[in-house]
Structure formats: structure tokens, C-alpha cells
């Protein structure tokens, strides 16, 4: 007999479809791009949330207060609460047009979930109740007018009695959130507080102070980490009491938790294309905190900027609750930052100088200074990785006190905001986490003819990659295929069914769209029957952000990819090949001897950051020649650096600064210190490895079986 804990609860929030939603649209051909301006009466400005979908927001927020898993209903061991941060236990909420609320659409979900309750606008109650009853939902359909703390408490009890009545129920339900702007912090904390036996209501201090809400959430996370450590070390009750204060202080300095950030903002270049001047005048910046940003059953009736705010905050709260981590709403990215970013991206289309790139990165940091609140800096310092809901590459910014951009400090992944309707749908429809722990099949699709020098160098690079990973070919296989037409690409993917698809192609701009050239034509969608979970676009500028470009990187997520890696700018084919080869080598090594990296995101971050030395050495002919010269120990400079001199001396927040220092020491021993340091500045180098974007959910692609991750977290293991 199967356990009820094998399936998570399922909640449904239906809405009345408009012209762009519903069954007719659901059955139409896939059309990833809208070429016409969105009508203001149909969607919000500037991020584009369909107003029909916005009616679901009160229900979506309410569902975040219900159990994400049946284990939420019972007392759970401390170590399991901490282990959950690696598993991303999301609320399963279906956002569906009312005419799609039937078995044809929900069949797969009903098979793998417990259908619990439907939350709907009052005007849909009769139809939603009938459809939910037909599909076997456990609890009565609840209209918005009945949503309250009392209803929430009753539903927690009813879920327990229906599914696990023989197990003791954990009391202390989490009341409805009042402040939505603070919810990414307060709701995960209050759910943790329920398990820990702490008060679960929003406090008066929290209700008025973002800094206190952050401090309380951070204390809760540190408390959990300290107790988990004591439990893992087998401390007795008396010993734990005696050691707790010191353990708490130690864990406060080493604490690492998942952090989700929401960074709204639209590129001015996109706004000029998408909206007329009257609509643009109606938009304005959002602050990080807004006391008027509160939950109600009519929140979808507010002005556009408040509705968009509630939707963005819902997504980041959904993420922070799922990861049992921290979340923050940030102020709108200033327009000047997008303008500077666009200039930086354009600069790479011409012969670029390192001095100009440094100046533009400095201007970018200056434009983004308003972001750096005390809470944001503290959250990043304690983050194990960042999930950034934004159309701006936050990872390119340098945090005050660091010398390298954020993406060098820690892993960063992106969930594009625009259009907001799609972002909310994708946040709610994430496929389950997967493991690539046995073998990884990589398909390299060569879309550039061999007659093209870039195509020839790409093939040479992947020949080297295959030879390099040959010792680990049992766990990672690289297949190269000639796919010079879109049909050939589709057939090759269908034949090989890869875990990772690497598309070697030219990127191109078509108006304000970043496309991939396959054959003789640009493409924004690939039309694959089965989209591989990971897609790597080995192509130039397929993920630009400065001009609000419609990018194939984002569109492939809509086609079904779990994670997509793409470049913001044109990159050198040789350097890109080196980066991709190193990525494959580390994936193969991890699968052969697991333990260093948990997810594919962790591997990428290591490869990206440790490639700083190659960025520097490849910065000029003089540096390249010096990098192959012999050190006093008889080894090439690059080998000496990687094998011994850099070990334990490179700090991620200062990776380029530290790498220069170590290389300078090697040069000093050769009597060339001043000359080499001068080359670092003139002609200099470009940190090209940092201009990549990993979009989607690479954190959910594990290289260790999920069962083993849980076992490893268990005390006594």
C-alpha cells in the first residue's frame, strides 16, 4: 500500500479566460512572441500581466499559506527542515482558465498529486465547485469571499483528517500574510516558526520594519542551522543546552541559505517599442517596501503598478517558501542602468578594449547604487545561491566591498520577468527536480558549416572535449552531429534524446529579437518534440538584456527546457570552446567521483569563476606568450598557477584581483613582475567568462540522487 506522503497536495485557482487564454488558445500552435503592442485594457504596464490572470492573485497568495507537503501537517525532525533547503519543496498550485479545469488538462497532475481544494473568484463558484467535485477534490471549493484565518485553520485540520488522520497533528497554523512586500521574508520564517513552536503571527515590529523582519528571519535560519548541527553531532539534550550559544555564534558566521530576489524594471528601449508615450507616463519606479502593499481579496483591482508588484512578490515568495530560505523585494532597477548595460553590450560588437569595458562596468555599478540596502548585502553574504526574478543581469554588478561581480561570488540563476503572465505560469508549473547521477548524454549540434572558420574551430574544440572526457566516458558521452538545417537538428535531438543539448551556431539580432541561425535563417523557437532538460547555446549574444530584447534563451524555457545557458555578448569562439570543454570535464569528474558539487549550477559557477585566469592570460598576445613560459620550477606559468600556487588563495568575491596577485608573484620570480602587471592594465583583459546567463532552474538538476542527499543530511550518516 502506498504512503500518502508520496504525493504532494494540489491546489487549483481558476480564472475567466480572455482572448489570449483558455481552451482555444491552449490548443493553438505554439507562438512564443507577440509582435503587436499589448493592449492596455488587457494587460498591466510595463511588465505585462494579463488582467484576467491577475484575478487569480488573491487565490494564489492564499494557497501559499496551505500545506506544501503532507509532512507540513506533522512534527518534523530538525535535520529534515534543514535538508529541505536542497530539495525545493514547492507548493503545487495550478493556475488554469475555468474552461480548462477538467480531466483532459489536469489528468497528469491528478495522477501524481492529491487534489485538495479549489480557490476561486465568487463569480466562478458554481462552475468551479462542479468541476472540482467531478475531479475528486478532497475539500469543498472556497470562494474569495470566504478566505480568512478561520477558513485557513479549518482547511489545515481538514487536510490532516482526510489524508493522515492517524498521525498526531502539529498545531499552530500560519495566519494570512498582511504585508506582501515583506512576505518573501516573513512567510518562510513563519512556516519555520510553526515547526519550531515559535509564534507564527506577524508581529507589530515586523509589520512596520523591513530590517526587523530580515533580522528575525536570519535569526530563525541561524537557530535552525545550530540545532541541525548539534543533532548531526549526536549531542545529548544537556550537552546541546550547554553548547548552544557557542554553536549559534559559529553558525551565524558560516550560515548559507538559498536567497530569492525580485528586481523589477523594464529597459527604456523596450518600453519605447512596446508602449506609447501616454502609457509610459503612467509607469514609475517601485520601492523595495510599500506599507500599502497588503493582501486582500480585491488586490487585483488595484492600479497596474500595485498588481504587478503583488504578482512579482508572489513569485519570489513562492520560491523562498519552497527553498525554506530568504527572499527580498528590491526597488526598480534605474533606467540608467539598462541604458549603460545596452551600451556595454553594443561595445562588444566592435573591437573592444578592456579599459572601455572597465569604465562601462563602473558606470553600471554607479547607476545601480540605490539597490544596495543593508539587508541586500547581508542576504548575499549568507546566500548559497541566488534566484533572481528580473530582466536585468544582477550578477554583473559588484557588491560594495567586493572587486569582482556577484556572479563570481556565488551561483546566480535568472527567471525572466517579462511578460509577467508567462513568468507566473512558469513559476507555478516547474517540472520535478531531476538527477543526472548515472550517466550524462551530451549532444553537440553543429549548425555552422565547416567552411566557416567559426564552425571549423567549434568542431576542433569539441574533438578535444571528447578526448579529454574519454576516461570518464562511462558517465558522460559527447555525441557530435551535423545539423545544418532546423529539420536535421530536430531529427538529431529526437534520435539521441540528450540530457544536455549544446547548439553551436551563430547568434543574430532581428529587430529587437536575439535569434539563433540554423541553416540560412534566424529562429526564435526550435519546435523540438522533446526538449532536453539542459540547453547550452554556444553562440554569440543570445541573451542580451540592456535593450529588453526578446531572447531565444528565455523562449526555450517556454518550450520546455529546465535550464538554458546563453551569452549576453559576442564571445571569442576559442575562449567559449575552452569554457565549454571545462564544463563538460567537471561534469564528468563529478559523476565519476561525486561529492564536490550538488547541482549543475554549482559546476557551472566553479567553471565560470575558475576561468578568470584564462580570461587574464588570453587578454593579449604578450600575456598569452608569457602564460606558456617556464617558471623557476620548470613548469608553464598556467600549470604552475592551477596546480599549486593558486590553491586556497583565490577568494570568489575578488577572483580577478587575487588571480592577478598570484600571477604577479610568479612573474616576480622570473624577474618580469613590473612588465606583466603592466600588461594586466595595458592592453589589459576582459572578464568575458562573466557575460553568461543561466536561466531557468539549473538548481533542480542534481548530480547526486535526491534520496542520497536526504540520507546524507540524516544524523548518524
Amino acid at each position: 500500500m502506498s504512503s500518502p506522503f508520496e504525493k504532494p497536495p494540489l491546489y487549483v485557482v481558476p480564472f475567466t479566460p480572455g482572448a489570449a487564454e483558455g481552451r482555444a488558445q491552449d490548443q493553438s500552435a505554439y507562438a512564443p512572441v507577440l509582435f503587436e503592442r499589448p493592449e492596455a485594457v488587457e494587460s498591466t504596464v510595463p511588465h505585462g500581466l494579463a488582467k484576467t490572470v491577475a484575478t487569480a492573485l488573491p487565490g494564489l497568495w492564499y494557497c501559499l499559506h496551505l500545506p506544501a507537503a503532507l509532512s507540513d501537517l506533522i512534527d518534523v525532525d530538525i535535520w529534515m527542515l534543514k535538508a529541505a533547503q536542497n530539495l525545493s519543496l514547492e507548493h503545487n498550485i495550478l493556475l488554469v482558465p475555468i474552461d480548462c479545469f477538467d480531466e483532459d488538462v489536469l489528468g497528469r497532475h491528478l495522477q501524481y498529486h492529491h487534489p485538495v481544494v479549489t480557490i476561486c473568484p465568487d463569480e466562478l463558484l458554481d462552475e468551479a465547485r462542479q468541476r472540482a467535485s467531478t475531479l475528486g477534490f478532497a475539500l469543498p471549493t472556497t470562494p474569495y469571499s470566504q478566505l480568512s484565518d478561520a477558513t485557513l485553520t479549518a482547511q489545515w485540520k481538514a487536510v490532516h483528517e482526510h489524508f493522515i488522520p492517524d498521525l498526531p497533528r502539529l498545531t499552530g497554523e500560519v495566519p494570512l500574510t498582511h504585508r506582501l512586500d515583506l512576505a518573501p521574508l516573513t512567510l518562510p520564517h513563519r512556516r519555520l516558526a510553526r515547526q519550531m513552536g515559535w509564534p507564527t503571527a506577524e508581529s507589530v515590529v515586523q509589520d512596520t520594519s523591513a530590517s526587523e523582519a530580515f533580522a528575525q528571519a536570519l535569526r530563525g535560519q541561524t537557530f535552525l542551522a545550530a540545532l541541525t548541527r548539534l543533532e548531526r553531532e549526536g549531542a545529548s539534550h544537556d550537552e546541546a543546552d550547554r553548547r548552544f550559544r557557542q554553536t549559534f555564534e559559529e553558525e551565524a558566521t558560516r550560515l548559507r541559505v538559498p536567497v530569492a530576489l525580485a528586481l523589477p524594471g523594464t529597459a527604456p528601449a523596450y518600453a519605447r517599442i512596446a508602449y506609447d508615450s501616454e502609457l509610459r507616463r503612467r509607469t514609475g519606479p517601485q520601492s523595495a517596501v510599500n506599507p500599502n502593499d497588503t493582501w486582500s481579496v480585491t488586490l487585483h483591482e488595484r492600479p497596474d503598478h500595485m498588481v504587478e508588484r503583488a504578482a512579482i512578490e508572489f513569485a519570489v515568495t513562492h520560491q523562498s517558501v519552497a527553498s525554506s530560505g530568504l527572499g527580498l523585494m528590491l526597488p526598480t532597477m534605474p533606467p540608467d542602468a539598462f541604458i549603460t548595460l545596452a551600451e556595454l553590450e553594443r561595445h562588444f560588437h566592435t573591437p573592444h578594449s578592456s579599459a572601455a569595458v572597465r569604465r562601462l562596468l563602473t558606470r553600471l555599478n554607479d547607476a545601480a547604487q540605490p539597490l544596495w540596502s543593508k539587508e541586500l548585502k547581508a542576504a548575499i553574504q549568507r546566500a548559497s545561491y541566488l534566484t533572481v526574478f528580473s530582466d536585468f543581469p544582477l550578477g554583473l554588478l559588484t557588491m560594495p566591498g567586493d572587486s569582482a561581480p556577484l556572479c563570481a561570488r556565488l551561483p546566480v540563476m535568472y527567471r525572466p520577468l517579462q511578460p509577467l503572465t508567462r513568468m507566473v505560469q512558469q513559476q507555478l508549473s516547474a517540472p520535478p527536480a531531476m538527477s543526472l547521477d548515472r550517466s550524462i548524454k551530451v549532444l553537440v549540434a553543429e549548425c555552422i558549416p565547416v567552411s566557416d572558420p567559426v564552425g571549423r574551430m567549434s568542431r576542433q574544440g569539441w574533438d578535444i572535449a571528447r578526448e579529454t572526457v574519454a576516461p570518464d566516458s562511462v558517465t558522460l558521452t559527447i555525441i557530435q552531429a551535423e545539423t545544418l538545417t532546423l529539420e536535421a537538428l530536430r531529427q538529431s535531438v529526437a534520435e539521441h534524446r540528450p540530457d544536455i543539448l549544446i547548439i553551436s551556431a551563430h547568434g543574430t539580432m532581428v529587430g529587437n529579437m536575439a535569434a539563433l541561425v540554423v541553416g540560412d535563417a534566424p529562429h526564435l523557437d526550435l519546435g523540438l518534440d522533446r526538449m532536453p532538460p539542459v540547453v547550452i547555446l554556444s553562440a554569440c549574444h543570445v541573451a542580451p538584456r540592456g535593450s529588453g530584447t526578446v531572447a531565444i534563451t528565455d523562449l526555450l524555457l517556454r518550450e520546455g527546457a529546465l535550464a538554458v545557458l546563453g551569452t549576453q555578448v559576442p564571445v571569442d569562439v576559442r575562449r567559449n570552446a575552452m569554457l565549454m570543454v571545462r564544463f563538460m570535464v567537471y561534469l564528468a569528474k563529478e559523476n565519476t567521483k561525486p561529492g564536490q558539487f550538488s547541482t549543475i549550477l554549482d559546476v557551472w559557477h566553479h567553471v565560470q569563476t575558475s576561468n578568470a585566469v584564462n580570461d587574464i592570460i588570453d587578454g593579449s598576445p604578450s600575456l598569452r606568450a608569457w602564460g606558456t613560459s617556464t617558471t623557476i620550477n620548470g613548469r608553464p606559468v598556467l600549470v604552475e598557477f592551477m596546480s599549486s600556487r593558486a590553491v586556497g588563495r583565490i577568494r570568489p568575491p575578488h577572483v580577478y584581483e587575487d588571480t592577478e596577485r598570484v600571477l604577479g608573484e610568479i612573474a616576480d620570480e622570473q624577474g618580469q613582475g613590473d612588465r606583466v602587471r603592466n600588461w594586466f592594465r595595458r592592453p589589459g583583459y576582459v572578464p568575458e567568462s562573466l557575460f553568461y546567463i543561466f536561466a531557468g532552474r539549473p538548481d533542480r538538476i542534481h548530480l547526486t540522487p535526491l534520496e542520497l542527499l536526504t540520507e546524507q543530511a540524516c544524523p548518524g550518516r
Side-chain angles (χ1 to χ4, degrees), residues 424-622:
V424 172
Q425 292 171 333
Q426 288 184 319
Q427 180 63 21
L428 292 173
S429 59
M434 62 177 296
S435 295
L436 297 178
D437 57 293
R438 290 182 175 84
S439 64
I440 302 175
K441 183 186 291 187
V442 179
L443 173 63
V444 180
E446 296 285 4
C447 300
I448 305 175
V450 71
S451 57
D452 186 319
V454 173
R456 186 165 57 254
M457 285 187 283
S458 172
R459 287 164 177 79
Q460 291 170 351
W462 286 110
D463 287 341
I464 295 172
R466 292 177 66 180
E467 294 173 6
T468 305
V469 303
D472 301 308
S473 59
V474 174
T475 59
L476 188 143
T477 304
I478 297 177
I479 302 167
Q480 287 176 271
E482 295 293 323
T483 56
L484 300 181
T485 66
L486 187 58
E487 184 57 33
L489 174 62
R490 292 168 177 167
Q491 290 177 357
S492 188
V493 172
E495 176 186 353
H496 296 291
R497 300 177 66 84
D499 301 300
I500 300 176
L501 171 62
I502 300 176
I503 302 178
S504 176
H506 285 303
T508 188
M509 294 296 297
V510 182
N512 200 42
M513 297 176 286
L516 209 60
V517 178
V518 183
D520 297 325
H523 296 276
L524 280 166
D525 60 290
L526 302 180
L528 302 180
D529 290 335
R530 176 192 173 274
M531 179 66 67
V534 183
V535 179
I536 297 174
L537 300 179
S538 186
C540 292
H541 56 84
V542 288
R545 290 292 187 256
S547 299
T549 303
V550 176
I552 188 171
T553 304
D554 302 336
L555 298 178
L556 289 176
L557 295 175
R558 304 183 196 180
E559 282 199 71
L562 192 55
V564 182
L565 180 66
T567 59
Q568 285 181 252
V569 297
V571 293
D572 184 277
V573 62
R574 297 163 302 159
R575 296 170 192 157
N576 180 71
M578 179 185 298
L579 202 59
M580 293 302 110
V581 168
R582 295 186 65 237
F583 194 11
M584 295 303 108
V585 167
Y586 276 98
L587 283 174
K589 287 183 176 180
E590 179 63 26
N591 251 15
T592 304
K593 296 180 180 179
Q596 184 177 1
F597 306 108
S598 176
T599 68
I600 199 170
L601 177 65
D602 296 327
V603 176
W604 168 249
H605 177 251
H606 174 77
V607 170
Q608 184 181 34
T609 304
S610 60
N611 209 55
V613 66
N614 291 315
D615 284 342
I616 295 173
I617 293 294
D618 205 35
S620 67
S622 298

Side-chain angles (χ1 to χ4, degrees), residues 255-283:
L255 180 69
R256 294 295 180 270
V257 296
V259 173
L261 302 174
L263 177 59
T266 302
Y270 172 82
R272 287 194 297 271
I273 295 171
Y275 305 113
D276 60 33
S277 57
E278 181 181 349
L279 289 177
R280 293 200 301 273
R281 282 195 296 269
R282 286 166 42 188
T283 65

Side-chain angles (χ1 to χ4, degrees), residues 17 40 65 82 127 173 184 220 242 269 272-273 308 315 340 364 444 455 468 534 567 628-629 656 688:
H65 297 75
K82 185 63 179 175
E127 186 174 359
E173 287 69 31
R242 187 175 65 255
R272 287 194 297 271
I273 295 171
E308 289 193 344
T340 303
L364 195 64
V444 180
T468 305
V534 183
T567 59
T628 59
S629 67
Y656 287 91
E688 194 174 272

